[in-house]
């Protein structure tokens, strides 16, 4: 038995890595070393002769995770990992469809549409069919198509109960026909087409089932319905499926993730072994105790309890303040103090539930001269100049790609106007052909016809020249002759765009060095699959800003979690959704477990969002963290509790939407003798707990407007309200 790579595993990790041939569910808590367990399991299976590298199918959720897994395997065993099927669902489905494109009904050189290209294709479809895009918004139709495909369904399978849905169904079918005609597939189609291929081709399914006797899946809690069905197709009667996940970190329901797949997996695969990885190697004791106490309030969970061999550590700091500006300043001051204590800014994260919160935080950091990086900006392959370059490359690879042609036929400008393009589309529609074939037909005459003819000749020349060049030189040739470089060089602020275009050549060089298949189609596939994955800049010491969703999978020495108010976290949109609050609690759990040594929680009584001041109650999640774990930091003189609202708080619009003069300040009290004020936490016998957001009148006419946690916003006459201070 091999010992080197098994050394150092804790008992539960060792049991998981060395399981006999059986399907198993590994409940891997945050920071419990799940990647090590996965890679060690693969190495153990290969080393003990239970399977060859080619007999492994390992599914991850990011290309970065797949590369990390292969790198670790190479360090464990002297094997060639290039032929192994390790990758994302989309990457593996693409590989399957490339190998069996005929059986799947696809051209050999089919192209992949990323999200932006897919939206462009839908817009073209609506225009070609003369459909009102205000009545049927392209993004809404895109969501309908993708959501339907993620359920494993085609347009014909949609149950249409009303005329609107029937029209969406028709447009979905027309979209599929357009994609088939152009030889392109979107991300959801990669999975659905692959699933359908395996479903109908019994011989092919049997081949892959006999090949992949060991299937390993990372982040199982994030799988959607179609991904689960795809795995069931590949898992033969003798397959052992090793599913690793954490139901407490299932936070992507809005993307179709179905946490119920974990329970289904136990039933469908007859899982007898559930191993819990509960020892955490990231966070100190107080942080884990808070996370455990919080998530215990979720009823629909498989259940586990994180622990650490490390010390209890520092208490969690809870900062309660009057407004978001004070909250931001506190974060700035503490970040500076951490820096003075030797903590790099790059090891500090500032998390928030909603992107709308970031403006005040960014302004405070900028004003203080603290470098910061906002995760979630445009990625390399999503930048406009790169999209243009990739469109030229797509045309070089497949001239029938209408989306690529429409993007660059008049970029840089060639005098081909919108009217000419409409005529070209009409010709293509009449001829049932691609736009390229319609342009070649010569039916469009005059100046527009000549301009389009020159464009066709340009692409044709580039195709001929690139056919004999290595990939990086193909891209250099395209950049030099397409006019993109010259176009951006002529722009006042085009230097960065030119640098990005030149970086595309560097990306091609790296791709060639890392991949056996260094063809143009393979590179375009790589670019499409990589689009949307975060690749943070390296080398600079900058504080990290991001939403809690974006922080999944990351860890930091110190974490600030801001905006812990009802309606913000948990988010108000989740309040009326089935299971919404439980998912928000899982999101809070993810946020807490990002911290290694120090965790700050902060909330503000008033916050400017969407042009309004909003007053909020403290988040219910704070009530679920034991008081003994918290160190309350109160900035208000005299130790006044969270309900305090400073008398000079400027308000331009209150929570009800009533506008007030910009120069006026809202009075926090009715009069000097009244015990009630705006922002005060109160309780009502019928409506429960709430916060005062407005007040008017005096004496017998006095009344308050209260935002209740469970009963909404109500006006109450003080004489009869019988409110009590909470």
């Amino acid at each position: 038995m091999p010992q080197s790579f098994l050394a150092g595993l804790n008992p539960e990790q060792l049991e998981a890595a060395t399981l006999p041939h059986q399907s198993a569910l590994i409940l891997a808590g945050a920071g419990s070393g799940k990647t090590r367990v996965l890679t060690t399991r693969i190495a153990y299976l290969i080393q003990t002769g239970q399977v060859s590298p080619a007999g492994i199918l390992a599914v991850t959720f990011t290309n970065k995770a797949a590369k990390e897994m292969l790198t670790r395997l190479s360090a464990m065993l002297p094997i060639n990992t290039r032929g192994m099927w390790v990758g994302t669902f989309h990457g593996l489905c693409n590989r399957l469809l490339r190998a069996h494109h005929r059986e799947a009904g696809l051209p050999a050189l089919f192209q992949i549409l990323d999200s932006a290209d897919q939206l462009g294709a839908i817009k073209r479809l609506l225009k070609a069919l003369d459909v009102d895009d205000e009545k049927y918004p392209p993004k809404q139709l895109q969501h309908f198509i993708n959501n339907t495909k993620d359920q494993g369904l085609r347009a014909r399978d949609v149950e249409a109960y009303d005329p609107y849905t029937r029209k969406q169904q028709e447009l979905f079918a027309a979209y599929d026909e357009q994609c088939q005609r152009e030889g392109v597939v979107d991300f959801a189609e990669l999975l659905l087409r692959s699933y359908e291929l395996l479903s109908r081709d019994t011989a092919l399914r049997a081949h892959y089932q006999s090949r992949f006797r060991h299937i390993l899946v990372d982040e199982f809690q994030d799988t959607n319905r179609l991904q689960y069905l795809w795995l069931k197709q590949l898992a033969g009667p003798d397959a052992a499926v090793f599913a690793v996940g954490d139901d407490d970190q299932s936070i992507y329901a809005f993307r179709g993730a179905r946490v119920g797949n974990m329970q289904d997996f136990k039933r469908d695969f007859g899982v007898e072994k559930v191993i819990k990885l509960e020892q955490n190697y990231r966070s100190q004791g107080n942080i884990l105790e808070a996370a455990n106490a919080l998530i215990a309030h979720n009823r629909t969970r498989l259940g586990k309890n994180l622990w650490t061999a490390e010390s209890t550590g520092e208490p969690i700091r809870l900062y309660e303040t009057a407004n978001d500006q004070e909250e931001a300043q506190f974060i700035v001051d503490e970040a500076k103090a951490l820096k003075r204590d030797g903590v790099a800014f790059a090891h500090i994260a500032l998390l928030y539930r909603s992107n709308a919160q970031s403006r005040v935080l960014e302004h405070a950091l900028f004003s203080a001269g603290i470098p910061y990086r906002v995760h979630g900006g445009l990625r390399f392959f999503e930048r406009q100049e790169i999209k243009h370059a990739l469109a030229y490359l797509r045309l070089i690879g497949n001239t029938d790609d209408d989306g690529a042609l429409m993007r660059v036929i008049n970029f840089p400008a060639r005098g081909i106007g919108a009217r000419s393009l409409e005529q070209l589309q009409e010709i293509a529609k009449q001829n049932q052909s691609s736009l390229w074939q319609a342009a070649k037909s010569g039916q469009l005459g005059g100046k527009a016809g000549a301009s389009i003819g020159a464009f066709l000749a340009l692409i044709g020349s580039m195709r001929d020249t690139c056919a004999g060049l290595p990939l990086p030189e193909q891209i250099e040739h395209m950049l030099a002759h397409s006019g993109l470089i010259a176009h951006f060089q002529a722009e006042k602020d085009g230097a960065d765009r030119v640098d990005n275009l030149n970086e595309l050549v560097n990306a091609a060089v790296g791709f060639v060095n890392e991949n056996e298949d260094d063809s143009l189609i393979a590179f375009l596939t790589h670019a499409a699959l990589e689009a949307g994955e975060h690749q943070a800049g390296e080398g600079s010491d900058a504080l990290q800003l991001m939403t809690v969703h974006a922080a999944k999978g990351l860890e930091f020495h110190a974490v600030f979690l801001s905006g812990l108010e009802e309606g913000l976290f948990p988010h108000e949109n989740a309040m009326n959704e089935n299971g919404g609050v439980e998912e928000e609690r899982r999101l809070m759990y993810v946020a807490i477990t990002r911290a290694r040594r120090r965790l700050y929680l902060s909330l503000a009584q008033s916050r400017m969002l969407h042009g309004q001041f909003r007053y909020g109650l403290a988040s219910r999640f704070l009530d679920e963290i034991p008081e003994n774990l918290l160190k309350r930091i109160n900035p208000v003189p005299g130790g006044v509790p969270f309900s305090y609202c400073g008398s000079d708080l400027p308000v331009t619009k209150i929570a009800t939407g009533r506008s007030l003069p910009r120069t006026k300040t809202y009075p926090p009290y009715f009069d000097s003798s009244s015990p009630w004020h705006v922002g005060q936490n109160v309780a009502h016998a019928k409506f429960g707990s709430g916060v005062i957001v407005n007040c008017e009148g005096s004496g017998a006419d006095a009344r308050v407007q209260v935002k209740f946690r469970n009963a909404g916003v109500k006006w109450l006459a003080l004489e009869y309200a019988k409110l009590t201070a909470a």
Side-chain angles (χ1 to χ4, degrees), residues 560-575:
F560 293 89
L561 179 57
S562 63
L564 286 169
E565 301 122 40
E566 284 290 300
L568 195 53
F569 203 177
H571 198 277
E572 57 192 357
N573 292 344
M575 302 296 191

Side-chain angles (χ1 to χ4, degrees), residues 331-346:
I331 292 170
V332 164
D333 293 341
E334 286 295 315
K336 287 181 176 179
L338 286 167
K339 179 69 171 178
R340 288 193 298 270
D341 290 341
V343 180
F345 283 134

